[in-house]
Amino acid sequence: YWKDYCVNWLKSLGIREENLRLRDHEPAELAFYSRATTDIEYAFPFTDWGELWGIADRTDYDLKRHQEASGKDLTYFDQEANEHYIPYVVEYSIGADRLMLAVLSEAYDEETLENGETRVVMHFHPALAAYKCAVLPLQKNLSEKAKEIYKKLSSEFMCAYDEAGSIGKRYRREDEIGTPFCICVDFDTEVDGCVTIRDRDTMEQVRIPVAEVRSYIEERLSF
């Protein structure tokens, strides 16, 4: 159960299954109190496979030691079986630094586009991205409306604002830091009340009303 649970949790963060493997410890590796231990390993690009997460069946060793030291009864009574027993402890331990290193390694990509240019992009799960969205006026003379939208969104999400340079270069800057959604305010926004949202991973663009932007992003941040 815990092996599946942990692997599925990592996959839900965007880590690909082919970069994960389970390694059961040999009997000689086991701690004296452990009946079984499994490491989840990740294929780091610079060290090959490395331990990411340890899952250990520590049997009833922990609670027995606590019971002996404290003098308190730590047994559990199973009413159906009509018996007392000391529960086993399953320890699943992951380091925050190793996890984030795996997430960074998994997210980094250099894509060759149809025009031959290279796009550097961090494919973070939206829930992990530092900035959830960026508001980009098509031109600087649209900044007033763009800043109005930015102000509303930044009260809900970590939101970036950028009006320097061409829109294409600004998209690339947001790709490089993993911002999942870019919101472009153009000359039609004042007319139709809509903005264009660009998806970081597919680069596809959709046009939606300004009033729906918040819910659009919230739905895609769910984890």
Side-chain angles (χ1 to χ4, degrees):
Y1 170 86
W2 287 113
K3 289 178 186 180
D4 290 342
Y5 179 92
C6 295
V7 167
N8 289 332
W9 188 80
L10 291 169
K11 288 164 61 178
S12 73
L13 292 177
I15 295 180
R16 289 168 291 182
E17 188 170 9
E18 59 265 31
N19 288 332
L20 296 169
R21 74 178 184 186
L22 297 173
R23 188 185 73 83
D24 295 333
H25 284 206
E26 297 293 335
E29 297 179 81
L30 294 175
F32 69 91
Y33 51 76
S34 176
R35 190 175 72 170
T37 295
T38 298
D39 289 339
I40 300 177
E41 297 182 332
Y42 177 75
F44 289 100
F46 43 83
T47 61
D48 198 18
W49 293 97
E51 179 188 344
L52 183 60
W53 202 333
I55 308 168
D57 176 355
R58 298 174 61 96
T59 69
D60 55 7
Y61 173 80
D62 296 290
L63 292 181
K64 276 185 175 179
R65 298 291 80 75
H66 282 300
Q67 181 170 267
E68 291 172 3
S70 66
K72 300 293 185 180
D73 182 8
L74 297 180
T75 58
Y76 172 79
F77 179 64
D78 185 332
Q79 292 183 336
E80 291 186 3
N82 193 34
E83 65 178 358
H84 288 84
Y85 64 86
I86 295 181
Y88 277 27
V89 169
V90 175
E91 175 192 27
Y92 57 107
S93 176
I94 186 170
D97 53 350
R98 293 182 187 184
L99 173 60
M100 290 314 302
L101 187 56
V103 168
L104 288 166
S105 299
E106 192 75 18
Y108 182 82
D109 193 16
E110 294 182 14
E111 296 179 354
T112 301
L113 305 179
E114 292 181 359
N115 60 8
E117 294 182 359
T118 298
R119 178 175 83 121
V120 176
V121 56
M122 299 295 289
H123 294 286
F124 293 125
H125 186 293
L128 296 179
Y131 289 99
K132 311 307 180 186
C133 60
V135 178
L136 315 175
L138 187 62
Q139 293 185 5
K140 285 188 176 181
N141 57 358
L142 296 168
S143 62
E144 183 177 350
K145 181 62 177 179
K147 287 180 179 178
E148 178 185 322
I149 295 172
Y150 165 75
K151 184 177 181 181
K152 291 180 180 178
L153 291 176
S154 61
S155 66
E156 302 293 334
F157 317 107
M158 284 295 292
C159 182
Y161 180 87
D162 190 356
E163 61 180 29
S166 69
I167 190 69
K169 288 182 178 179
R170 284 180 277 160
Y171 282 149
R172 293 291 179 268
R173 287 200 288 267
E174 297 301 329
D175 291 341
E176 288 181 352
I177 63 173
T179 306
F181 307 108
C182 286
I183 301 156
C184 181
V185 179
D186 57 30
F187 293 103
D188 291 329
T189 300
E190 290 286 3
V191 178
D192 61 10
C194 294
V195 292
T196 299
I197 299 185
R198 172 188 179 270
D199 183 276
R200 173 201 64 206
D201 298 328
T202 65
M203 294 190 289
E204 294 179 353
Q205 301 184 17
V206 295
R207 193 160 182 84
I208 66 172
V210 173
E212 297 178 10
V213 171
R214 173 183 170 182
S215 59
Y216 180 95
I217 296 173
E218 282 181 338
E219 288 175 9
R220 287 154 181 80
L221 291 180
S222 62
F223 169 70

